[in-house]
Structure formats: structure tokens, C-alpha cells
Amino acid sequence: MSTINYAVIGGGINGLSVARQLLIDYPDANVTLFEKESEVARHQTSHNSGVVHAGLYYAKGSLKARLCRRGVELVRDYCQTNDLPYDQCGKVVVALNKVEEERLKKLFQIALDNEVPNVRMLYGDEIKEVEPNCIGVAALHSPETAIVSYEAIAKRIAEEIRERGGKIELNSPIESIINTANGKIILTLAGGKRVATEFDYAVSCAGLQSDRLAKNSGDIDTPKIVPFFGQYFVLDDQYTHDVKGLIYPVPDPKYPFLGVHFTKRIDGKMTIGPNAFLSKGRENYDGKGFNWRDIKEYLLYPGFWRFAFRNIPAAMRESKTVFSQQNFINEATKYVPSLANMTVKPATRGIRAQAMEADGTLVDDFVIRRDGNITHIRNAPSPGATSSMAIAEYIVREVMQGKA
């Protein structure tokens, strides 16, 4: 029986997790991962909050709800097995008024539906028992929400892939993945050069470039990726200990972005952020310069303009935090007034690969599509990192087997 050849495109935490899962389930297979950068985890994996989300926000029955809860277990176990830091610092989602309190109650029910462990509602002074400096009329407490370094996890997975006999080809930007008439899959590199090996199956985990690779490979045009940046600031050390864990606002149900919040990092630092505003490029992490191809692409996309015209008030609100650091601080200190005079330093931006349909709607759930023997991850926003190992199980054991 001939050996099966698998290709995985993308060296972020999702691609790495898929390659690892293939080697676990098919130890005799040839698994090759292609990454366009000189090392793995250079993009969204190393530019996120590091939160292991417990599953508070995701509609019952959605892929997000299912894979997030499974993902938490897998990430926690992986960190314990591999001696990687895992800080179960807990999280409160805080309502500042009665309108937000009603939203919070609905969120509490979602958390119960998703069987998030040990969640409870807090009122009045109960909030201070968890976060002594936090104010609000009510809060949802998730004591098992945690923080990690997804970059460290990804790099350990890369080591494990090699230990299990898999290959990682760096500096290898894949331009297309093509199903052929004989059932084999051909990969082409940037510039049109073919990869020598023909593969039996391929999985595209291209993150910020997922729509382009899918389209080049013959998949449908939509959803398209529109990049939004999220700026974080790091609190100076003297202010770090005013917050114990994570403090989040109640999300506005009309928008997927969670708003400015306090997030503890695995190195002990405390951050505030992110805002959410249109990025000048898909990989514009430093905020400098422009990528005119990226800008032109979303400006010519009718879906973007349909989204933009419907969301002018939200854009105006977010712009205040983009252009004024003090406004950013003011948003955060609504929840912790004792930090009104805090000083902060900018941290590296994250870029959200926001999938958007032609009618301007934002795609909320994970989108994973199979086209012949090619599987495309078309949308994997937060909690994509939390869910990464569960996404890998789902792709390898269900999608590639024709069960999903």
C-alpha cells in the first residue's frame, strides 16, 4: 500500500495543529507543512492576547461553541504535558448600566448552554471580591479563563512535528493548490514554480491570506478577508497589580469586536486593548506605511462599502481610541477608576482576519470548506487560537472524512 502524502499550508497555530493531528492519526503518512516566512508563528499566532477563551460568547450549536470548549481542554493538557506556562487567572465581564446588565444575563445563559465550568453572576460588592478595584452594576465571572503564550505552544508543536517525522518547509509561499483529474494535488510556489511532490490531500490554513489562496485554488470568491488592526498598550509596572486577571466589557451584539479591556499577559505584564479599526495592510503590525494591494482590494469590494455605511457610528467611536491614547485609557478606566492616571507604552498590534460576505455581513462562525481533496479554513477568528487543536481534530477526523 502506497504512503499517503499530506500538505498543510500555513505555519500558524492552526496549520501546525493540523499537521500534528495528521501525524498522530496517521503516523506512517508523509506530512509536509509549508510556511512562507523564515520561521513559524510569525503572524496572528504571535500577535494576539494570549487568552484561552472559556466559551462565553458563542451561540449554542455553533462550531465556535463546540470547538472552543474542546480546545480549552486540549490546550491546557498540552501545556501541562510540555511544561508550558498556563495561568488560569480568571475573567470578569462587567456591566456598567442596566442595559448592559440585561445583555450580560443573556451572555450568562450562553455560558450555561456551552457548559462553561463554574461561571456565576456577581452583583455589587461581589465584583470586588474577585477584582478589588473594578466597578460595575453586575459581572459575569469565569474563573477558568486562562492565559498562555500561543507562540510558545506553536513552536513546541513545530518541534513535535519534526520529532514525529513530519517536514516543515520554511520560506515556501504557496500560491495555489490544485485538484487534478487523476486525484492528485499540485502545489505551486509564488512565481509559478511547482512543488516537486504531488499530494493526496491538502489543508490550507493561510490566515490573513486565506481568501486569496482559496480563490487561486479554484474555491469560491467569498468570504473575503478585510483586515482590522487592534492596538494594545502595556501598563507601566507600578500599575500592573491593580488588576488581577482579565476585565472585559459586555460586548455589543451588533459587532464581533469585544472593545477595550484589561488582559494579563503570560509574562506578568498587564495590557489594555484592543480597539478595532481598518488596517493599512494585512500584515501591517507596526502601523507604518501602506500595502496598496491590500487597500485597493477592500476598497474595490462592494461588501466592504455595504458594511462601512451600516457602521459609521461604530467607526467614529473606534477612531477616538486610534487617534488619542488618552481616549483609549479613558475607555479602560471606566472599569478601574484607580488607574485613571496610569502610564502606558504601545505594544505590537494584532491584525484580525475578518471574513466578510458580499452583502457586507461579517462572518461570525468558523468557516471550513472542503473542495475535492483540499480543505480550506476560510474563517477562524477568536477563539481560533483557543480552538486550534480542536479545529485540527475536526478537520482530520470529520471534514477530510466527509463527515462534516
Side-chain angles (χ1 to χ4, degrees):
M1 188 175 183
S2 60
T3 302
I4 305 297
N5 292 316
Y6 293 92
V8 179
I9 293 82
I13 197 164
N14 279 304
L16 291 161
S17 295
V18 168
R20 171 181 174 266
Q21 192 65 50
L22 286 166
L23 288 162
I24 290 171
D25 287 9
Y26 308 109
D28 295 327
N30 289 331
V31 177
T32 305
L33 182 144
F34 296 87
E35 165 54 42
K36 71 186 182 75
E37 304 292 353
S38 59
E39 58 183 326
V40 300
R42 288 287 298 274
H43 292 285
Q44 290 175 294
T45 300
S46 57
H47 294 86
N48 61 44
S49 65
V51 176
V52 183
H53 292 282
L56 303 181
Y57 305 104
Y58 319 120
K60 184 178 181 180
S62 66
L63 271 181
K64 277 188 176 183
R66 171 190 163 188
L67 299 181
C68 179
R69 286 302 314 144
R70 173 63 176 154
V72 172
E73 297 173 6
L74 294 171
V75 168
R76 182 183 60 232
D77 291 350
Y78 195 81
C79 288
Q80 291 173 350
T81 300
N82 290 276
D83 197 26
L84 295 168
Y86 186 94
D87 182 354
Q88 194 169 286
C89 59
K91 166 180 173 177
V92 288
V93 183
V94 180
L96 296 177
N97 53 53
K98 290 298 181 182
V99 172
E100 290 185 352
E101 183 180 348
E102 290 306 309
R103 291 179 187 165
L104 194 64
K105 290 176 181 176
K106 294 177 181 177
L107 206 62
F108 181 43
Q109 186 57 55
I110 291 172
L112 293 176
D113 289 343
N114 291 337
E115 300 181 0
V116 177
N118 300 316
V119 290
R120 63 189 179 111
M121 290 290 293
L122 307 175
Y123 294 95
D125 289 342
E126 291 178 322
I127 298 172
K128 294 188 179 297
E129 294 173 9
V130 177
E131 284 288 355
N133 296 304
C134 182
I135 64 168
V137 298
L140 176 59
H141 182 212
S142 172
E144 297 194 18
T145 296
I147 52 173
V148 296
S149 167
Y150 286 113
E151 182 178 7
I153 293 170
K155 289 182 176 179
R156 175 65 193 110
I157 295 174
E159 292 174 356
E160 184 183 349
I161 288 168
R162 294 185 176 105
E163 290 164 4
R164 290 179 179 273
K167 299 176 184 176
I168 297 178
E169 299 289 348
L170 301 172
N171 301 303
S172 300
I174 299 299
E175 190 171 79
S176 66
I177 318 164
I178 304 299
N179 285 302
T180 64
N182 67 0
K184 296 293 185 180
I185 291 170
I186 294 171
L187 305 185
T188 60
L189 296 160
K193 182 181 178 181
R194 275 181 54 172
V195 174
T197 304
E198 291 186 347
F199 295 89
D200 299 287
Y201 298 93
V203 183
S204 170
C205 310
L208 287 156
Q209 309 297 336
S210 60
D211 58 333
R212 289 172 175 166
L213 182 54
K215 184 178 179 181
N216 289 348
S217 305
D219 197 33
I220 59 176
D221 286 354
T222 57
K224 288 187 70 66
I225 297 299
V226 176
F228 287 82
F229 75 79
Q231 179 67 58
Y232 286 88
F233 289 88
V234 180
L235 278 63
D236 286 342
D237 288 345
Q238 64 264 40
Y239 303 102
T240 295
H241 300 293
D242 277 37
V243 178
K244 295 170 63 178
L246 313 178
I247 301 176
Y248 278 50
V250 179
D252 187 328
K254 293 184 291 185
Y255 306 107
F257 310 113
L258 290 172
V260 174
H261 47 270
F262 289 89
T263 306
K264 183 181 178 183
R265 289 196 324 204
I266 201 67
D267 62 1
K269 299 287 188 180
M270 184 63 65
T271 67
I272 56 171
N275 48 15
F277 206 71
L278 201 60
S279 178
K280 296 181 290 185
R282 295 194 183 199
E283 299 173 5
N284 185 244
Y285 300 111
D286 62 6
K288 300 175 182 177
F290 300 83
N291 185 307
W292 293 112
R293 178 194 177 192
D294 294 348
I295 294 170
K296 179 181 177 182
E297 197 163 302
Y298 63 67
L299 289 180
L300 293 177
Y301 182 45
F304 166 73
W305 292 105
R306 294 184 178 107
F307 167 81
F309 287 129
R310 288 200 296 262
N311 292 281
I312 291 173
M316 295 297 292
R317 180 190 67 201
E318 292 295 319
S319 68
K320 292 177 182 178
T321 63
V322 173
F323 299 114
S324 168
Q325 181 174 301
Q326 188 58 51
N327 280 331
F328 202 109
I329 291 171
N330 291 345
E331 284 295 309
T333 54
K334 289 177 182 177
Y335 302 90
V336 186
S338 64
L339 288 173
N341 296 317
M342 65 179 167
T343 53
V344 300
K345 298 182 179 69
T348 305
R349 291 178 171 188
I351 306 289
R352 180 186 179 98
Q354 178 60 60
M356 187 179 292
E357 297 287 7
D359 64 0
T361 57
L362 304 182
V363 182
D364 183 52
D365 206 359
F366 297 147
V367 177
I368 300 171
R369 286 177 40 81
R370 183 177 173 183
D371 176 27
N373 287 335
I374 303 170
T375 300
H376 295 279
I377 298 181
R378 295 293 299 258
N379 190 48
S382 180
T386 301
S387 309
S388 55
M389 294 182 186
I391 289 172
E393 283 186 342
Y394 174 70
I395 287 174
V396 173
R397 297 177 180 177
E398 297 185 44
V399 176
M400 295 179 74
Q401 303 302 319
K403 297 177 183 178

